[in-house]
Amino acid sequence: MEITFSLEEIDGAAQKLLDANIKNIILFHGSMGAGKTTFIKALARRLGVKDMTGSPTFSLVNEYETEDGKTLYHFDLYRLNSEEEAYDMGIDEYFYSGNLCLIEWPEKTPNLIPLDHTAVSLKELPDGRRQLTVN
């Protein structure tokens, strides 16, 4: 699946992803500034999260409650120094909790990512819109 969208269309693009056959573990690939955090915020809005803050850059993971009482975890692994550091924080427990896990910079923990996941790539187009590809 491929979706091209502008910032004004981001909520609709997020809903299209949620309507697709996606897994509970969603990996977000893209360069710095591609819009990973912004897209994850749109996903959270579509799920009814009311108190979404920014990216969990310093805490590595933020936990949110969706409108229907489910838990959503948002990971930003950019500042992670090693897979061991992620393992020590109990990242595998989050991944196998059955809750939705949205993961930025998953390439920092390639050996810890569950095989059963959805991979999303985001890139900025020359006109400023974003192209989202689901693998």
Side-chain angles (χ1 to χ4, degrees):
M1 173 171 60
E2 195 169 280
I3 306 168
T4 301
F5 60 93
S6 66
L7 192 55
E8 293 78 24
E9 301 165 323
I10 195 168
D11 286 334
Q15 188 60 55
K16 284 181 185 178
L17 180 64
L18 291 171
D19 291 342
N21 186 21
I22 57 173
K23 307 293 183 182
N24 276 347
I25 308 293
I26 306 176
L27 314 181
F28 288 87
H29 299 280
S31 61
M32 186 75 70
K36 296 180 295 295
T37 300
T38 303
F39 192 80
I40 287 172
K41 285 181 178 182
L43 285 172
R45 275 194 306 275
R46 300 303 298 166
L47 292 167
V49 172
K50 302 287 186 218
D51 60 346
M52 182 95 179
T53 58
S55 181
T57 302
F58 296 101
S59 61
L60 297 180
V61 62
N62 285 344
E63 179 180 330
Y64 302 104
E65 186 175 334
T66 64
E67 190 172 57
D68 59 359
K70 295 182 180 174
T71 301
L72 177 153
Y73 296 114
H74 176 200
F75 295 85
D76 184 336
L77 305 180
Y78 183 75
R79 293 192 185 275
L80 203 62
N81 294 313
S82 68
E83 284 190 325
E84 184 177 340
E85 185 180 336
Y87 190 75
D88 288 347
M89 70 165 270
I91 202 167
D92 56 325
E93 293 175 32
Y94 291 103
F95 290 171
Y96 294 100
S97 68
N99 294 306
L100 185 60
C101 294
L102 309 175
I103 307 160
E104 295 183 60
W105 304 102
E107 51 276 359
K108 293 281 200 158
T109 58
N111 298 309
L112 301 179
I113 300 293
L115 294 176
D116 195 24
H117 66 264
T118 298
V120 172
S121 296
L122 269 168
K123 72 176 183 177
E124 184 175 6
L125 300 174
D127 65 2
R129 293 182 307 150
R130 299 302 194 267
Q131 182 178 43
L132 178 141
T133 306
V134 179
N135 303 323

